[in-house]
């Protein structure tokens, strides 16, 4: 990480990590004292607490970097969002697709109950991974033999979720890169399948399981397509942390769960057909540099995240002054060295966070697991 980047990332990292540890501590207390007696009450309280952390990332996206999300959908669909349970599927094109989803969830009023199916290693990330675990994200090992039972039980636990939730599932199984696209194209050609140009071939086992286990209590599937216009640099986590803006185009189509076939093979084919249509939609976006046949719906930039960051910043600054005066930490070389070590730790943790989000770090899964 270059020195200018460090000067920007470290203060943001200190704010996020310290406030995140406070959030984790509160979540742990609620988990130990409230959840054993009322899972519903725990979930309602945790939703509020988790938002205090997630809103900081929304602020970095909205206000610090000024990333602009242009949202394309039927205006009536936008009125449904946040008022119903939904299974969310999306192409996985950039490093920050998950953050785009959080922004949409925040606009819809369900940021604290936005969930996702994640790889197992995610839950070990300090602060953010711990908070995901308390919020009941589903963590898988990318081995269907191990994950089938875990996914089924996790989905069944959502039956009595007290507030509208979104569950995001990246059915391509990995982030999009040109290397992975070439592998998908070779596989499709060898199997007589439509050859993709802008997406990977979906791995449908997880999707079929999600539909089978959620059909009775989740009324809708949100089919999201994310694209970056040619005039905008691709957004990355590091660019956002450095305050560099981008533009993201998001197209959303709502499917009623009742539209899907009943059989597993039919649900699998439905998912594949959706990604063939998504590929064509992205072809259109490449040609027009926008989703030209869809209505652009303004989603604004609420000030709630700005207010939360201001309150966190003031509280932590006052707390730091009180702590330093109480301990006289900076009055000795030992204390200064301890503080310096803390800053190095923050730098290292933020570097891990940035690397974790980069698309190039994800590994393609064997194609034999696609079906």
């Amino acid at each position: 990480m270059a020195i200018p980047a460090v000067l920007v990332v470290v203060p943001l990292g200190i704010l996020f990590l310290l406030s995140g540890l406070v959030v984790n501590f509160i979540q742990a207390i609620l988990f130990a004292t409230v959840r054993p007696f009322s899972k519903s009450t725990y979930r309602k309280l945790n939703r509020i607490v988790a938002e205090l952390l997630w809103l900081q990332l929304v602020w970095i996206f909205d206000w610090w970097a000024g990333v602009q999300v242009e949202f394309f959908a039927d205006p009536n669909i936008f009125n449904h969002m946040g008022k119903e349970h939904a299974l969310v599927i999306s192409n996985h094109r950039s490093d920050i697709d998950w953050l785009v989803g959080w922004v949409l969830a925040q606009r819809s009023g369900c940021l604290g109950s936005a969930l996702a199916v994640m790889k197992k290693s995610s839950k070990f990330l300090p602060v953010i991974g711990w908070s995901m675990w308390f919020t009941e994200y589903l963590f898988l090992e990318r081995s269907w033999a191990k994950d089938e039972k875990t996914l089924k039980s996790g989905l069944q636990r959502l039956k009595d979720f007290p507030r509208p939730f979104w569950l995001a599932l990246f059915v391509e199984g990995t982030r999009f890169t040109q290397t992975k696209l070439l592998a998908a194209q070779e596989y499709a050609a060898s199997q007589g399948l439509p050859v993709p140009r802008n997406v990977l071939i979906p791995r449908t086992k997880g999707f079929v399981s999600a539909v089978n286990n959620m059909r009775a209590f989740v009324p809708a599937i949100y089919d999201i397509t994310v694209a970056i216009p040619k005039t905008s640099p691709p957004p990355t986590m590091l660019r956002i942390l450095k305050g560099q803006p981008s533009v993201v185009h998001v197209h959303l189509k709502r499917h009623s769960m009742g539209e899907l076939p009943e059989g597993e093979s039919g649900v699998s084919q439905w998912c594949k057909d959706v990604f063939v249509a998504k590929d064509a939609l992205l072809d259109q976006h490449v040609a027009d540099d926008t989703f030209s046949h869809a209505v652009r719906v303004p989603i604004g930039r609420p000030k709630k995240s700005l207010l939360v960051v201001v309150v966190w910043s003031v509280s932590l600054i006052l707390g730091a002054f009180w702590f330093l005066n109480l301990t006289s930490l900076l009055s000795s070389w030992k204390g200064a060295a301890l503080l310096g070590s803390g800053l190095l730790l923050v730098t290292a943790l933020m570097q891990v966070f940035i690397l974790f989000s980069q698309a190039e770090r994800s590994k393609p899964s064997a194609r034999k697991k696609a079906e």
Side-chain angles (χ1 to χ4, degrees):
M1 190 185 299
I3 291 177
V6 170
L7 295 176
V8 171
V9 170
V10 169
L12 294 177
I14 291 172
L15 173 64
F16 183 74
L17 291 173
L18 290 180
S19 60
L21 290 173
V22 174
V23 167
N24 291 160
F25 180 70
I26 296 172
Q27 289 177 307
I29 291 175
L30 293 175
F31 186 86
T33 61
V34 177
R35 194 178 189 278
F37 304 100
S38 175
K39 186 167 66 172
S40 178
T41 302
Y42 166 78
R43 284 168 161 172
K44 290 176 182 177
L45 294 174
N46 184 74
R47 172 183 177 272
I48 297 170
V49 176
E51 277 199 5
L52 296 177
L53 184 61
W54 302 155
L55 280 169
Q56 293 182 59
L57 293 173
V58 172
W59 169 81
I60 290 173
F61 187 96
D62 275 343
W63 295 92
W64 177 259
V67 178
Q68 181 181 353
V69 176
E70 297 185 8
F71 183 64
F72 298 83
D74 184 329
N76 292 326
I77 292 175
F78 189 69
N79 295 330
H80 280 282
M81 293 167 62
K83 300 178 177 65
E84 62 181 357
H85 298 328
L87 174 62
V88 180
I89 58 174
S90 173
N91 61 320
H92 202 358
R93 188 72 188 227
S94 77
D95 298 352
I96 50 87
D97 293 333
W98 57 276
L99 187 48
V100 173
W102 276 0
V103 169
L104 294 180
Q106 191 265 335
R107 303 297 198 269
S108 303
C110 62
L111 176 60
S113 53
L115 311 173
V117 178
M118 306 281 288
K119 56 186 178 182
K120 187 176 180 179
S121 58
S122 304
K123 69 180 179 180
F124 300 110
L125 279 174
V127 175
I128 189 170
W130 302 339
S131 192
M132 287 176 175
W133 186 85
F134 283 120
T135 309
E136 298 180 77
Y137 279 55
L138 279 62
F139 299 99
L140 304 182
E141 298 186 36
R142 292 186 173 180
S143 169
W144 187 243
K146 298 178 181 179
D147 291 336
E148 183 177 11
K149 184 177 180 180
T150 302
L151 182 61
K152 181 178 180 180
S153 62
L155 294 170
Q156 289 293 317
R157 285 198 301 269
L158 299 178
K159 275 185 176 181
D160 57 352
F161 211 88
R163 295 292 300 269
F165 68 81
W166 292 3
L167 178 68
L169 176 63
F170 288 107
V171 293
E172 290 166 297
T174 184
R175 297 175 177 94
F176 181 97
T177 66
Q178 286 301 317
T179 300
K180 295 169 192 174
L181 176 61
L182 289 174
Q185 290 173 333
E186 291 175 3
Y187 174 81
S190 69
Q191 298 296 314
L193 302 173
V195 177
R197 299 165 301 279
N198 309 287
V199 297
L200 304 180
I201 299 171
R203 299 171 60 190
T204 59
K205 284 184 177 179
F207 178 78
V208 170
S209 179
V211 171
N212 286 344
N213 285 283
M214 300 171 73
R215 190 191 290 267
F217 61 94
V218 173
I221 295 175
Y222 292 170
D223 172 17
I224 291 178
T225 305
V226 179
I228 310 300
K230 301 183 186 77
T231 53
S232 172
T236 65
M237 199 67 225
L238 182 57
R239 281 185 55 86
I240 290 174
L241 289 171
K242 292 168 67 175
Q244 298 173 340
S246 298
V247 177
V248 180
H249 290 172
V250 179
H251 180 279
L252 187 145
K253 183 175 182 180
R254 181 184 183 275
H255 302 276
S256 170
M257 191 68 82
E259 298 173 12
L260 274 67
E262 290 292 334
E264 291 188 1
S265 61
V267 173
S268 175
Q269 187 60 50
W270 184 92
C271 182
K272 295 173 185 176
D273 292 343
V274 163
F275 269 75
V276 171
K278 191 184 296 292
D279 201 18
L281 181 63
L282 287 167
D283 276 340
Q284 179 192 83
H285 187 278
V286 169
D288 300 338
D289 212 29
T290 187
F291 294 115
S292 55
H293 298 295
V295 177
R296 181 180 173 185
V297 180
I299 60 173
R301 186 174 62 168
K303 296 179 181 178
K304 184 177 181 179
S305 63
L306 182 61
L307 176 62
V308 166
V309 168
V310 169
V311 172
W312 272 122
S313 300
V314 172
S315 300
L316 291 175
I317 288 172
L318 292 177
F321 275 118
W322 174 82
F323 178 76
L324 291 174
N325 286 330
L326 181 67
T327 60
S328 301
L329 189 63
L330 296 180
S331 62
S332 67
W333 284 107
K334 184 178 179 180
L338 183 63
L339 186 61
S341 299
L343 293 176
L344 288 175
L345 178 61
V346 170
T347 304
L349 289 175
M350 293 303 292
Q351 181 75 355
V352 169
F353 180 48
I354 291 167
L355 291 176
F356 188 85
S357 72
Q358 289 178 346
E360 292 80 9
R361 297 283 170 172
S362 62
K363 299 178 181 178
S365 300
R367 201 53 253 166
K368 66 182 180 180
K369 296 179 182 177
E371 304 303 324

